Amino acid sequence: MAPAGSSSPRSLVHHEHPPPLSRLRSYHHHAHCHSRNHSNAEGTLDNLPKDLRKEIEHLERLFTVDGAKLKEVTNHFVNELEKGLSVQGGSIPMNPTWVMSFPDGNETGTYLALDMGGTNLRVCQVILTQTKSEFDIIQSKYRMPEELKTGDADELWEYIADCLMQFIETHHGDPTKLEKLPLGFTFSYPATQNYIDEGILQRWTKGFDIAGVEGHNVVPMFEAALRRRGVPIKLTALINDTTGTLIASAYTDPKMRIGCIFGTGCNAAYMENCGSIPKLAHMNLPPDMPMAINCEWGAFDNEHKVLPRTPYDVIIDKDSPRPGQQSFEKMVAGLYLGEIFRLVLVDLHDNQEIKIFPGQDIAKLRKAYSLDSSFLSLIEEDPFENLSETFELFQTKLGLTPTGPELELIRRTAELIGTRAARLSACGVAAISKKKGYKECHVGADGSVFNKYPNFKARGAQALREILDWPEKADPKEDDPIEILAAEDGSGVGAALIAALTMERIKQGNMHGILHPENFKTAEPRPA
């Protein structure tokens, strides 16, 4: 199958502290970015009918997470991170990634990166230049044909090999004359990784369902397709996008200590000392040797001990494909925020004394997962006093005509759900910071919710202040001790950097977590 829809590559040159790369995710972004924020103001709720006001106050009690609760959640989170590193393990997997150092900005050479997403395949060539912390990137996107996602495993890997071959021919000429190029492969599907050049797929996600891959190491399948097609590439590292986010951000900003994803899902990665990872004790690694940990923290509190779940969160979990799993993710991630909101509105129409949208057909609102987090973003960004844009949104998307008071309730509900997500997300950042004793650092964050959801950053920052008891700022422009900033491109630049770091440590004789050391003799980065 020939590569579909290859776009022209674009070159981006990055300097000392570059702005983040433009995101390749599509996300409906709204033109208005200021917020009227008047529904919090004193007096506004007084204008509402008494029943609706009572309902809003009830929702506020359900969804508001105060500072004391944030601290309780954070303390439990610290314990659960520890448990995940123990021999017994816990709900949070805390996967060692075999990425064993931060970059120092002096890495050089030419590396390829492959990012296999649900919609597109992205191939990048990353040149780490002689200038500290600078890189050039050329990238092409190829459409992932729907039929491949449920087809034959060989067809998938051969299609990927064809895309890589096309990219190499475009940028390097005759592939038969090339030395093998090192590649970092971002494979963001749940996988067991005992080595950096291995990934045993636990289960497909993102619409893939290809027989014969789950429970198997994907690397030999991928490499067999490269061999059949004669593609001059050597897979150096298989990575998760969150680990890539950590490493790419640290390359351009030496204060980076944590990488996070706040998007459709949620996750974090940070650097641990091998001596603090009891489940690796049998390997006798030097105790002060670093090891990047991919937390997979969406599974935090699957036991439901501390998270302040509402009846709506209970329904989401019960009706999900895997009840009892990913409890934290179901309260903070973009996939679920619109669904929580939808369940609240359906409940207020069906079950409460007060009936919102009386006499109207709410059939469209009854469709599960029909509203995503961008729907809530649009509501929160509506700049008009009368919420006219929210009114139009409900008419066009749901065929509903809300009254003025109902619009106020809609706006407040969106604010409550969005605020709770940001505040609970901050508990994870605070937990890693407390565990590691970070008093000051930068956190690199990526994902559609972080990048696009109104006020997410400010709400998260306020929650960190409450959890970590920071004093009030003397100057509002002053930086917070721990700042969550826009990350670098983890699945492209991060994957290439991890390939570079892996090649470097092998050269220095650190062979820990390498399944096939013999393969690394042939892959050498080209000089920058």
Side-chain angles (χ1 to χ4, degrees), residues 39-40 56 60 407-416:
S39 61
N40 292 327
I56 288 177
E60 285 176 337
L407 286 169
E408 290 292 345
L409 177 138
I410 287 163
R411 169 65 163 243
R412 190 70 188 114
T413 303
E415 286 174 352
L416 287 166

Side-chain angles (χ1 to χ4, degrees), residues 11-233:
S11 177
L12 302 170
V13 181
H14 278 226
H15 299 290
E16 183 76 36
H17 287 293
L21 288 176
S22 60
R23 306 292 166 214
L24 294 172
R25 300 176 182 79
S26 81
Y27 191 97
H28 184 156
H29 188 50
H30 196 46
H32 293 284
C33 53
H34 56 291
S35 167
R36 60 178 202 139
N37 249 350
H38 87 270
S39 61
N40 292 327
E42 282 302 314
T44 309
L45 295 183
D46 294 343
N47 302 332
L48 291 177
K50 200 165 138 208
D51 291 347
L52 269 189
R53 191 165 72 236
K54 199 172 75 183
E55 223 34 78
I56 288 177
E57 286 164 357
H58 175 63
L59 289 171
E60 285 176 337
R61 282 193 299 277
L62 275 182
F63 283 97
T64 300
V65 188
D66 65 18
K69 185 64 178 176
L70 291 177
K71 287 180 176 179
E72 183 195 351
V73 170
T74 301
N75 290 336
H76 188 57
F77 218 131
V78 174
N79 294 336
E80 290 297 301
L81 295 173
E82 297 273 9
K83 199 187 282 183
L85 295 171
S86 71
V87 177
Q88 299 77 17
S91 288
I92 306 179
M94 302 296 280
N95 297 326
T97 64
W98 303 101
V99 175
M100 304 184 79
S101 64
F102 275 121
D104 62 12
N106 295 313
E107 294 73 16
T108 57
T110 299
Y111 299 85
L112 297 182
L114 170 66
D115 180 11
M116 180 179 151
T119 313
N120 292 311
L121 199 66
R122 181 167 66 122
V123 182
C124 308
Q125 175 174 290
V126 179
I127 299 169
L128 306 174
T129 67
Q130 299 291 341
T131 311
K132 187 172 162 55
S133 297
E134 277 193 18
F135 59 83
D136 300 339
I137 180 168
I138 302 164
Q139 53 193 353
S140 294
K141 279 202 290 183
Y142 305 89
R143 189 175 59 81
M144 182 66 81
E146 280 302 313
E147 61 273 19
L148 278 188
K149 292 164 81 169
T150 52
D152 175 75
D154 285 346
E155 284 178 8
L156 172 72
W157 301 117
E158 286 182 7
Y159 176 74
I160 293 171
D162 286 340
C163 293
L164 286 164
M165 185 65 116
Q166 183 177 322
F167 184 88
I168 286 173
E169 286 171 347
T170 304
H171 300 293
H172 293 275
D174 184 351
T176 60
K177 300 196 170 124
L178 291 175
E179 287 291 310
K180 284 192 174 182
L181 291 157
L183 172 92
F185 183 2
T186 300
F187 186 74
S188 293
Y189 301 84
T192 305
Q193 217 176 352
N194 300 307
Y195 305 91
I196 199 162
D197 48 347
E198 168 202 79
I200 298 163
L201 179 69
Q202 293 165 353
R203 64 178 183 279
W204 283 116
T205 56
K206 303 178 194 179
F208 281 86
D209 189 15
I210 298 170
V213 186
E214 291 183 340
H216 295 279
N217 183 2
V218 300
V219 174
M221 303 180 200
F222 174 63
E223 289 183 326
L226 295 179
R227 272 196 307 278
R228 284 195 296 272
R229 287 287 196 268
V231 187
I233 277 177

Side-chain angles (χ1 to χ4, degrees), residues 77 92 190 203 205 242 261-268 295-302 304 307 309 313 316-317 320 322 325-338 340 369 420-421 424-425 449:
F77 218 131
I92 306 179
R203 64 178 183 279
T205 56
T242 315
I261 304 286
F262 302 117
T264 308
C266 67
N267 196 10
C295 300
E296 295 291 354
W297 73 11
F300 168 62
D301 200 31
N302 282 348
H304 310 314
L307 286 173
R309 297 203 310 158
D313 299 302
I316 281 192
D317 184 46
S320 70
R322 292 185 172 83
Q325 293 183 28
Q326 300 300 96
S327 290
F328 184 58
E329 185 161 279
K330 286 168 182 168
M331 294 177 77
V332 304
L335 178 62
Y336 302 101
L337 300 184
I340 298 168
Y369 290 92
R420 185 185 73 162
L424 288 176
S425 294
V449 173

